[in-house]
Structure formats: C-alpha cells, structure tokens
Amino acid sequence: WPWLLQLMISPTTVEQALRVAIPLSEVLWLISLPLALYAFERIIPNQRVALLAFVLYALGPNAIFLAIGYTEALFGLLSLLFLLSLYHADQPAMGKRSKFTFYSALLGVVILLNLTRPALTQSGFAVVFTLIGLYGVRRLIAPTSPKLYPRELILSGLITVGSGVGYGLYGLYCLHTTGDFLEPFHAQVEWGRTLAFRPWLLMFPRSLLFDLHGLYTAFLVFAVLGGLMFSLWRQRQVVTVRLPRQVW
C-alpha cells in the first residue's frame, strides 16, 4: 500500500499521503463492487443469497473501512480475486493447463494478500481448521473411509506457502527497517492486541460492535452447524435446511 502511494506521489507528511490514499481506496472499493457481485454469484448457488451478500458487502457497517485510505480496500479487492481463483482451481472437471493457471493465480494472490496485510497467523489457523472441519464432516457421513482429496491438500499447501512467502518479504522489510522480523505482530501489543485464547469474550465482549461481528456471528454459525452434524450422526438421515422466502 505505501509502495502504491509512492508510485503516485512522494509524500513527506501523513496529510499529503492521505490526500492520495483516501481517493485511491475509494476507487479500489468501487472497482471491487462488480467483482464482488460476480464472485458471490459464482460461489453461492442461490442467487438471492448472493445478492444479499453483495448488499451487505457494499452497504454493511464495515464497508466504511474500505474508504478510509488504509489497506482494507486493496486487501478486499485481492480477497475477491482470491475467492475466484480458489473457486475455479477447485473445479474437478478442468484441464491440466487451466488448473495450473488458476493454481498459479491463487499462489500469486495469496502472496500479494500477505504483502498487503500481515495475515500469516490467520491464514495458518484457517487452513488447519478447514481441513479438520472437512475431515470431521466426512467422518460423520462415511465413518469407514473419511479422507481429504488431493486437490484440497494442494490448495491448502499453496495457501500456506503463499502466506509464508508473502509475509517473508514483509518481515524482511521490517527486519531491515526496524530490526524485528515480527514487528507487525509486536506493534499490535501497544493497541492491546495479543494472540491468546479468550473464551470469556463470548460472554463479556471488550467492544460490542466488533466482537459481535467477529465472535458472536461465528459462534452462532458453528452452533447451528454443530446441531446439524449431531442430527446427522444420531438419525443417520438427510437433514434439509430451507431458506425462507423473504430473504431478509
């Protein structure tokens, strides 16, 4: 993000940088809107739900952060490209040449994501728990032969390697300028952010808005999925979940 600003202008103060950063982030956000609609329509089978996801992306409370002149707009645009690359690379019926193209695109986008924001820790946890979740679901469905497919392991490996390479470049820059390879993580300690397991935040949030988005929603989603998985295991039959007609 600072490199992009340097390409457009060589700011000497924060005020000069913001004069470019804020309009640039707004432009990137506007560019991401049609891409977001395209990505959601490809990934989500139900068109109404895809449209609802797009509206939440464009008009939700957190959309304000996509236009504040920081890295969120670029990270959001790259995240949409990541989702599309992941979607196309995960299609079973695809030629070797096309698959290699999307695998390469996926690796490149992951590297750029970790160059934009230090997401190495989050990426690592996401990969591990996704694989655990997939294995757990398949163990419930087919207890005798649960397995992870080769393409899933390849995609997980690409995401892990790309995250490591991207943050490696990021960390080397921090090492050269500050003497600390993990400076982004250590800097967050000054903001009261440290990597730790705090289950009590589910009941007593530090900041209601952000913890409601980041913790309560995930907790409710996993509670619903856990109930469905338990029902499948107990009853050994298909559980159908129907969407309400009124999408809101």
Side-chain angles (χ1 to χ4, degrees), residues 127-225:
V127 168
V128 170
F129 282 105
T130 297
L131 292 178
I132 292 174
L134 284 173
Y135 183 82
V137 169
R138 287 168 187 165
R139 186 174 179 84
L140 290 173
I141 296 174
T144 56
S145 60
K147 64 178 180 179
L148 295 171
Y149 296 106
R151 71 173 186 275
E152 295 168 350
L153 297 175
I154 293 173
L155 292 171
S156 300
L158 288 174
I159 294 172
T160 303
V161 171
S163 300
V165 172
Y167 184 79
L169 298 172
Y170 197 114
L172 288 175
Y173 174 78
C174 294
L175 181 65
H176 177 71
T177 54
T178 67
D180 187 355
F181 185 78
L182 300 175
E183 173 64 21
F185 299 103
H186 294 155
Q188 295 183 34
V189 177
E190 299 177 2
W191 313 332
R193 304 289 179 133
T194 55
L195 184 63
F197 180 66
R198 303 184 180 93
W200 58 87
L201 289 179
L202 292 171
M203 298 300 297
F204 306 101
R206 294 198 314 180
S207 57
L208 182 60
L209 176 62
F210 292 107
D211 289 343
L212 185 66
H213 280 79
L215 291 175
Y216 287 170
T217 304
F219 178 78
L220 290 173
V221 168
F222 276 105
V224 172
L225 291 178

Side-chain angles (χ1 to χ4, degrees), residues 14 110 121 125 135 139 229 232:
V14 176
V110 173
T121 305
F125 275 100
Y135 183 82
R139 186 174 179 84
M229 291 172 63
L232 284 170

